[in-house]
Amino acid sequence: MSLLVRNARVLDVVTGGYTETDLRCEDGLVVEHGSGLKAPDARVIEADGAVVMPGLIDAHVHVTALTADLGALGSHSPSYVAAHSARTMGEMLDRGFTTVRDASGADYGLADAQADGLIRGPRLLFCGKGLSQTGGHGDTRDRGTTSHDGHQCCAGLGRIADGVDAVRLAARDELRKGANHLKVMAGGGVSSPTDRIDSTQYSMDELRAIVEEAEAANRYVAAHAYTARAINRALAAGVRSIEHGNLLDDSSVQLFVSRDAYLVPTLVTYWALKTEGREFGLPESSWRKVDDVLTAGIEGLELAARGGVKLAYGTDLLGGMHRHQNHEFRLRREVQDAIDVIRAATVNAAGLLNLSGEIGVLTPGAHADLLVLDGDPLEDIGVLAEPKRFRHVVQGGVVVS
Ligand code: ZN
Ligand code: ZN
């Protein structure tokens, strides 16, 4: 199966420059750039000078999160959750995301269903369930509930494991099921019922054991953490990416750089909670906290960007708020150049996912995942923030939207 994109203005996301060229794709891969290319029998897209860029990568999603009430997720039928996930993934593809990294909840079933063409959606890199200590961010029990039904077949974002042996077992079990990375809850969160946002979670020995298991399998660990204290512990234990990171400080920035780690801010989820959270039943007191976290997150992003931290695009949206996935472009553009925001959603995210050269670029040999845009995203980030301005979304050389 071949595809020819004619008269494109191709954005090189590494240099930030444009080249006017044709693009030929075969068997799902980019094979050639050049002018006047010929490909008999190929599907042809006449770009007529429109901007063409690599398909987007979202490095922090939860495709199974059909509701913002994460505690209730585990009581839904797995088949019902899968049906919801299929719809969510199809909509992500329509928003230009040709690859996503799931930050807990998705499993090999969804990844296989996408790869086999049973459902439309981005390529899915999954971690299975996130590892949480008792009373941590992945423990959805309220104070009055003692028992925990850890049935692994059902939906839910976390699994509880305490102690070095237990976290090794949990890590090995997720890796056995094909996890592309491991997720660990290394600090408190907004949505968890019994922890505090400023708590650190897991001992250093447990964190190191999880990293060791991931590295033994040539995989890596992503850690949920807000405060500098939680971030710095996770980085010292060897995690590769910090998720959210809103309350980082200068000492964190130094550690990110010296450890060559990534930061995955997820500003839009706080923006969505601030804008719509009260409609979704968020109490007034929590709503004010969300505002603080959003403001801190924008300042944290600015600090990290200035300090040279590698940044990847993330969104972390739940339930009905998924539709705001592209608004993260606008929020980051407040403190970063457009090309840097675009790099976070392409070449940088590809680096985090260990897929450099395969996704996030359009060099020969890369997957033919690309967007044909109505406008110049370097001049107007709205071109990416508003998916209705995409003329085409192409995934693996096939026009999918
Ligand atoms: Zn998180
Ligand atoms: Zn998340």
Side-chain angles (χ1 to χ4, degrees):
M1 203 185 315
S2 45
L3 174 76
L4 184 62
V5 185
R6 260 205 289 249
N7 297 318
R9 257 181 98 206
V10 175
L11 175 61
D12 181 331
V13 295
V14 177
T15 64
Y18 284 108
T19 314
E20 285 176 27
T21 186
D22 299 346
L23 206 64
R24 189 167 67 83
C25 312
E26 293 282 351
D27 299 324
L29 303 178
V30 177
V31 290
E32 194 181 7
H33 291 225
S35 52
L37 294 184
K38 299 264 184 301
D41 307 326
R43 158 117 198 223
V44 177
I45 295 177
E46 296 288 355
D48 288 325
V51 170
V52 168
M53 65 168 282
L56 304 173
I57 304 164
D58 189 333
H60 191 124
V61 300
H62 298 280
V63 300
T64 61
L66 57 94
T67 168
D69 184 359
L70 298 179
L73 197 56
S75 48
H76 286 284
S77 157
S79 52
Y80 181 77
V81 175
H84 252 283
S85 306
R87 185 173 73 177
T88 299
M89 288 171 67
E91 289 168 350
M92 287 179 171
L93 192 59
D94 293 336
R95 290 190 286 263
F97 292 90
T98 47
T99 303
V100 296
R101 183 181 69 149
D102 195 88
S104 69
D107 68 356
Y108 60 91
L110 284 174
D112 288 355
Q114 189 279 333
D116 292 349
L118 296 173
I119 58 175
R120 294 178 73 239
R123 269 188 199 83
L124 181 66
L125 289 102
F126 63 94
C127 64
K129 309 242 176 184
L131 276 54
S132 170
Q133 68 171 49
T134 290
H137 182 52
D139 188 341
T140 53
R141 293 173 298 178
D142 61 28
R143 288 180 301 172
T145 306
T146 317
S147 64
H148 174 73
D149 187 353
H151 48 287
Q152 291 306 308
C153 64
C154 291
L157 300 188
R159 63 187 285 171
I160 297 171
D162 293 291
V164 168
D165 288 349
V167 298
R168 282 193 196 279
L169 175 60
R172 289 172 184 173
D173 189 43
E174 295 304 339
L175 292 164
R176 176 184 72 83
K177 290 182 283 186
N180 299 101
H181 54 279
L182 296 176
K183 171 78 178 292
V184 60
M185 306 306 184
V190 177
S191 57
S192 28
T194 60
D195 65 359
R196 299 192 340 231
I197 204 153
D198 63 358
S199 64
T200 66
Q201 296 179 2
Y202 276 133
S203 67
M204 287 304 291
D205 283 346
E206 289 166 313
L207 290 174
R208 281 195 208 96
I210 295 164
V211 169
E212 194 178 279
E213 293 302 328
E215 288 181 350
N218 290 313
R219 295 291 185 264
Y220 69 92
V221 179
H224 161 105
Y226 281 107
T227 63
R229 188 163 69 116
I231 293 166
N232 294 3
R233 289 172 87 252
L235 290 174
V239 312
R240 181 171 168 85
S241 71
I242 296 292
E243 311 300 309
H244 322 301
N246 299 48
L247 302 166
L248 59 80
D249 67 11
D250 286 317
S251 68
S252 316
V253 169
Q254 283 176 18
L255 264 173
F256 271 108
V257 172
S258 67
R259 298 256 167 181
D260 210 25
Y262 288 79
L263 173 65
V264 187
T266 60
L267 302 174
V268 69
T269 197
Y270 312 105
W271 175 88
L273 283 169
K274 184 188 161 189
T275 312
E276 300 177 345
R278 283 180 295 187
E279 290 164 43
F280 285 83
L282 196 72
E284 186 73 25
S285 56
S286 305
W287 182 74
R288 276 194 297 272
K289 260 191 283 182
V290 165
D291 208 15
D292 293 343
V293 179
L294 175 59
T295 307
I298 291 172
E299 289 165 4
L301 170 61
E302 198 171 13
L303 197 64
R306 224 185 308 127
V309 176
K310 293 196 285 191
L311 296 158
Y313 190 94
T315 54
D316 199 27
L317 291 160
L318 308 171
M321 291 174 278
H322 269 121
R323 67 188 197 285
H324 300 301
Q325 191 173 17
N326 298 58
H327 189 66
E328 180 81 15
F329 281 103
R330 243 188 237 294
L331 294 172
R332 293 193 185 199
R333 181 70 186 87
E334 288 176 23
V335 293
Q336 283 196 286
D337 287 341
I339 186 64
D340 289 323
V341 186
I342 290 168
R343 284 175 183 141
T346 53
V347 66
N348 288 13
L352 168 57
L353 274 52
N354 285 323
L355 291 173
S356 291
E358 294 180 49
I359 57 172
V361 290
L362 290 174
T363 43
H367 287 290
D369 296 350
L370 57 90
L371 308 179
V372 184
L373 302 174
D374 237 347
D376 183 347
L378 298 185
E379 280 171 17
D380 174 10
I381 203 70
V383 172
L384 292 174
E386 294 152 28
K388 63 177 184 292
R389 295 171 74 176
F390 300 168
R391 282 194 207 168
H392 298 289
V393 179
V394 173
Q395 184 188 43
V398 177
V399 180
V400 289
S401 190

PDB file of all heavy atoms in Angstrom, residues 137 183 224 244, ligand 1:
ATOM      1  N   HIS A 137      -1.597   6.989  46.073  1.00  0.00           N
ATOM      2  CA  HIS A 137      -2.429   7.602  45.036  1.00  0.00           C
ATOM      3  C   HIS A 137      -3.238   6.569  44.246  1.00  0.00           C
ATOM      4  O   HIS A 137      -4.260   6.891  43.656  1.00  0.00           O
ATOM      5  CB  HIS A 137      -1.539   8.440  44.111  1.00  0.00           C
ATOM      6  CG  HIS A 137      -2.289   9.151  43.047  1.00  0.00           C
ATOM      7  ND1 HIS A 137      -3.381   9.955  43.301  1.00  0.00           N
ATOM      8  CD2 HIS A 137      -2.129   9.178  41.692  1.00  0.00           C
ATOM      9  CE1 HIS A 137      -3.843  10.442  42.159  1.00  0.00           C
ATOM     10  NE2 HIS A 137      -3.105   9.989  41.176  1.00  0.00           N
ATOM     11  N   LYS A 183       4.530   2.081  35.906  1.00  0.00           N
ATOM     12  CA  LYS A 183       4.083   3.347  36.505  1.00  0.00           C
ATOM     13  C   LYS A 183       4.095   3.159  38.011  1.00  0.00           C
ATOM     14  O   LYS A 183       3.600   2.152  38.523  1.00  0.00           O
ATOM     15  CB  LYS A 183       2.668   3.658  36.019  1.00  0.00           C
ATOM     16  CG  LYS A 183       1.978   4.833  36.719  1.00  0.00           C
ATOM     17  CD  LYS A 183       2.475   6.180  36.204  1.00  0.00           C
ATOM     18  CE  LYS A 183       1.731   7.331  36.873  1.00  0.00           C
ATOM     19  NZ  LYS A 183       0.310   7.408  36.481  1.00  0.00           N
ATOM     20  N   HIS A 224       4.417   9.190  39.153  1.00  0.00           N
ATOM     21  CA  HIS A 224       3.491  10.279  39.491  1.00  0.00           C
ATOM     22  C   HIS A 224       4.078  11.043  40.678  1.00  0.00           C
ATOM     23  O   HIS A 224       4.346  10.450  41.720  1.00  0.00           O
ATOM     24  CB  HIS A 224       2.127   9.672  39.841  1.00  0.00           C
ATOM     25  CG  HIS A 224       1.220  10.578  40.619  1.00  0.00           C
ATOM     26  ND1 HIS A 224       0.140  11.217  40.051  1.00  0.00           N
ATOM     27  CD2 HIS A 224       1.246  10.964  41.922  1.00  0.00           C
ATOM     28  CE1 HIS A 224      -0.456  11.947  40.975  1.00  0.00           C
ATOM     29  NE2 HIS A 224       0.180  11.817  42.118  1.00  0.00           N
ATOM     30  N   HIS A 244       3.376  14.995  35.776  1.00  0.00           N
ATOM     31  CA  HIS A 244       2.835  16.224  36.389  1.00  0.00           C
ATOM     32  C   HIS A 244       3.978  17.155  36.823  1.00  0.00           C
ATOM     33  O   HIS A 244       4.286  18.089  36.122  1.00  0.00           O
ATOM     34  CB  HIS A 244       1.888  15.955  37.566  1.00  0.00           C
ATOM     35  CG  HIS A 244       0.997  14.777  37.382  1.00  0.00           C
ATOM     36  ND1 HIS A 244       0.123  14.696  36.328  1.00  0.00           N
ATOM     37  CD2 HIS A 244       0.853  13.615  38.094  1.00  0.00           C
ATOM     38  CE1 HIS A 244      -0.536  13.540  36.395  1.00  0.00           C
ATOM     39  NE2 HIS A 244      -0.108  12.867  37.453  1.00  0.00           N
TER      40      HIS A 244
HETATM   41 ZN    ZN B   1      -0.832  11.064  38.250  1.00  0.00          ZN
END
